[in-house]
Amino acid sequence: MTYAITQTCCSDATCVAVCPVNCIRPTPQERAFGSTEMLHIDPDICIDCGACADACPVDAILPVDQLSGVQREYAAINASYFERAPSPEVSEDSPNFHAWDRPAFERILPADFGPLRVAVVGTGPAGMYTAEDLLLHTGAEVTLIDRLPAAGGLVRYGVAPDHPGTRRAGETFARLHAHPRVRMLLGLEVGEHVTAEEVAAHHDAVVYAVGASRGKRLGVPGEERPNSLSATDFVAWYNAHPDAEPDAVDLSAERVVVVGNGNVALDVARILVSDPEDLAETDIAGHALTALRASKVREVVLLGRRGPADAACTRAELLALTRLPGADLVVDDHDPRTGAAIDAAGPDDLAALLRDAPRVLGTDWSRPPAEGRRVVLRFHSEPVDVLGRAGDPTPNGGGRGTGGGPVGAVRVTGAGGGTVLPAGLLLTAIGYRGVPVPGLPFDEATGTVPHEDGRVAGLPGTYVVGWIKRGSSGGIGANRACAAETVGTLLADAVEGLLPDPGRSAKAFLRLARRRNRQVVDARGMRAIDRAELALGRDEGRPRGKLATVPELVAAARRRRLPL
């Protein structure tokens, strides 16, 4: 028996570091590491020790004989990788022998190198990998700051609730919350409660890990209509993000159009057509579960500007969609290039996963299927106009333009001059972009903070990591290498004496934070939130009941009940 890596792989390479026989590839030292969707275990070399499974932060590694359902296909997926890329010889003479580890950045710290006080703004994966690196390899004292009263960032509010393995990365990060050299200040927003200058004045260095929280826009007429949302907002809604209103999503129409075919788009489609009772076994937001139980959505149309060979999703996500219980997956055959690409795909190509999917000619989009639910993949098609509902009393309601009525249809390109897809909800999943941080430079074109190896231009002692540094690319595990680079730059600056003198103490910053916001949540409060959500889940027969508003989170942190 060997082990196999499955869908939830985050590619943070922890498993590579603990494997005693170097059977996991690609390694961080290989060029393929930066572009691969997941890591793989060589079944011919694996000795079944289980060290990788114990180390995996997202429970993605399982014994082959325990794989079930769609996971069974990952035994072949792991093995086929090594047929394309044979494993190098493993011997003591090999330069890679027992040396495949996370990306290494040269750090030569003097023996008298004193502890630094570092503030990390953002408690998602990028911020927590940064804190972990500092805590494990230096004597740094770390202040964790987040604008929300609950830690977790992307892990808590961005990962789909039906991916519980991926969410378990948060449990790994949560262990750092109680570290003796960590202070937590949750519910404290830089730019509102404190300034960037004030944070810098109390710390030797500040690392911003604030992510990319805004969805990119289509730029087509009618995009501002009600019921036209970014997938960012939809994901926040079903993950109980405090910024999302419980009634923000209208599921009263039978068809939803989703623009994009990346992982987020597939997540959105899967949630919309999944059996709500299956979702009831997850930590999906309570208001979202209620809405999905009453949902009239029967069909989700995914629009892709290019063909199936160029879909932006991973093989694992598309594979899961082809095996979704209770929902069919079909391909709109409106453009002959779609079928040709699927037929020509090699066995390891993404498009090959669609070979068994029914192909339907979307000439009549007047109604979704009479029974059941389905997802339609429509390639070589993109929106050009968002139309209102028939009879919309606003100007241009049923035609072109930005009439104020809700979404009634989406006009899209395609063979034969395109078509109009009746739909009551439009979700755009075409990427994320960062938002400016008051006090920091910002590049509007890229949605990132200008930097050099993580060092913010013109602000000594200030650094960035994660999506606000590199743009919205890479999953959870990609942030480990990104954090290692930023921390390496920070430490090099410290050794060279380039960090400004903070002048004020960490305790003084704590007092300042509590004066500015008396509802700041610390590590003890975060543990109280965790206990409250687990208890709420037990009461509801679910793994966790997520608190969805700032008052609820703050009350739980202070062990109070909100008034009815």
Side-chain angles (χ1 to χ4, degrees):
M1 181 188 71
T2 62
Y3 281 75
I5 298 177
T6 63
Q7 176 184 353
T8 54
C9 176
C10 71
S11 298
D12 86 338
T14 299
C15 56
V16 177
V18 300
C19 178
V21 293
N22 297 336
C23 73
I24 304 176
R25 292 184 66 195
T27 73
Q29 283 70 38
E30 294 180 273
R31 184 174 298 178
F33 183 81
S35 59
T36 188
E37 296 177 352
M38 57 180 284
L39 305 184
H40 308 81
I41 293 175
D42 189 338
D44 293 333
I45 297 178
C46 177
I47 61 173
D48 189 25
C49 69
C52 56
D54 291 339
C56 179
V58 294
D59 290 349
I61 306 178
L62 299 170
V64 167
D65 66 354
Q66 293 183 19
L67 298 178
S68 61
V70 70
Q71 289 183 328
R72 291 195 187 97
E73 302 192 37
Y74 284 93
I77 290 173
N78 278 249
S80 67
Y81 177 85
F82 294 93
E83 295 172 2
R84 304 190 307 272
S87 179
E89 181 182 357
V90 179
S91 70
E92 293 186 8
D93 297 328
S94 171
N96 286 329
F97 184 73
H98 281 212
W100 295 353
D101 202 345
R102 66 191 63 172
F105 297 88
E106 186 175 358
R107 301 174 184 176
I108 303 175
L109 301 179
D112 60 348
F113 187 78
L116 298 172
R117 295 203 308 270
V118 181
V120 178
V121 183
T123 59
M128 296 312 298
Y129 276 128
T130 300
E132 179 187 55
D133 197 338
L134 288 165
L135 294 167
L136 291 180
H137 301 117
T138 77
E141 298 176 359
V142 178
T143 304
L144 294 173
I145 301 172
D146 200 297
R147 74 178 185 89
L148 296 175
L154 179 67
V155 172
R156 180 179 171 92
Y157 295 119
V159 176
D162 58 349
H163 285 348
T166 305
R167 285 178 173 268
R168 287 194 188 97
E171 297 174 10
T172 301
F173 297 140
R175 296 173 191 148
L176 298 177
H177 297 169
H179 194 285
R181 287 186 276 120
V182 168
R183 272 194 189 88
M184 294 191 76
L185 296 173
L186 307 176
L188 186 72
E189 184 169 1
V190 176
E192 178 177 339
H193 301 117
V194 293
T195 66
E197 293 79 7
E198 288 172 330
V199 180
H202 292 81
H203 298 88
D204 294 292
V206 184
V207 182
Y208 287 87
V210 294
S213 58
R214 182 177 297 168
K216 293 181 180 178
R217 300 183 56 74
L218 291 170
V220 301
E223 186 178 9
E224 299 298 332
R225 290 182 180 276
N227 296 347
S228 173
L229 306 171
S230 74
T232 310
D233 295 332
F234 185 74
V235 170
W237 173 77
Y238 67 58
N239 274 327
H241 194 294
D243 290 347
E245 295 294 334
D247 59 353
V249 177
D250 180 0
L251 301 179
S252 61
E254 292 188 317
R255 178 181 290 124
V256 176
V257 171
V258 178
V259 183
N261 52 28
N263 284 351
V264 173
L266 267 61
D267 281 346
V268 166
R270 194 178 61 253
I271 294 297
L272 283 168
V273 299
S274 290
D275 185 338
E277 299 317 308
D278 290 339
L279 295 175
E281 298 177 3
T282 74
D283 66 354
I284 191 171
H287 57 253
L289 181 60
T290 299
L292 288 164
R293 280 172 166 158
S295 171
K296 294 184 179 180
V297 175
R298 305 293 292 278
E299 181 175 85
V300 178
V301 181
L302 287 166
L303 300 181
R305 179 169 55 89
R306 297 183 292 179
D310 300 306
C313 61
T314 63
R315 183 182 177 88
E317 288 292 327
L318 183 56
L319 181 61
L321 196 62
T322 65
R323 305 291 192 272
L324 187 63
D328 296 326
L329 178 69
V330 302
V331 175
D332 181 0
D333 210 19
H334 75 102
D335 190 307
R337 291 175 293 176
T338 295
I342 294 173
D343 293 338
D348 296 321
D349 295 337
L350 184 70
L353 296 176
L354 300 176
R355 192 160 287 145
D356 295 332
R359 301 178 195 175
V360 297
L361 189 61
T363 55
D364 181 7
W365 290 99
S366 61
R367 63 186 61 184
E371 296 181 1
R373 296 174 177 175
R374 74 179 178 188
V375 175
V376 180
L377 295 176
R378 180 180 169 93
F379 297 100
H380 301 292
S381 188
E382 58 185 317
V384 294
D385 198 0
V386 183
L387 309 177
R389 296 176 180 175
D392 187 341
T394 62
N396 302 320
R400 301 186 63 82
T402 56
V407 172
V410 182
R411 193 190 310 276
V412 301
T413 62
T419 190
V420 173
L421 308 183
L425 177 63
L426 173 67
L427 299 172
T428 55
I430 56 175
Y432 294 76
R433 61 176 282 114
V435 298
V437 178
L440 270 63
F442 189 73
D443 185 337
E444 287 287 350
T446 62
T448 61
V449 172
H451 69 93
E452 181 181 352
D453 298 331
R455 182 188 301 109
V456 176
L459 288 177
T462 303
Y463 304 85
V464 285
V465 68
W467 282 3
I468 195 63
K469 169 188 173 183
R470 66 182 192 272
S472 56
S473 64
I476 291 174
N479 291 295
R480 181 187 288 277
C482 184
E485 180 185 59
T486 293
V487 171
T489 300
L490 186 161
L491 295 178
D493 288 351
V495 171
E496 292 295 323
L498 300 179
L499 299 182
D501 182 1
R504 301 176 188 176
S505 69
K507 288 185 178 179
F509 184 71
L510 180 61
R511 292 193 295 269
L512 173 67
R514 294 193 181 282
R515 283 201 309 272
R516 299 288 177 79
N517 181 11
R518 297 193 177 278
Q519 294 186 333
V520 164
V521 174
D522 58 13
R524 182 179 298 177
M526 185 63 219
R527 289 194 294 273
I529 289 172
D530 186 57
R531 289 193 298 271
E533 290 188 335
L534 291 173
L536 181 60
R538 286 193 296 272
D539 292 343
E540 298 175 347
R542 303 174 59 201
R544 177 183 294 270
K546 290 176 73 174
L547 301 173
T549 68
V550 169
E552 287 175 329
L553 290 164
V554 171
R558 298 186 175 189
R559 303 173 182 83
R560 291 200 311 257
R561 287 188 178 273
L562 288 173
L564 298 177

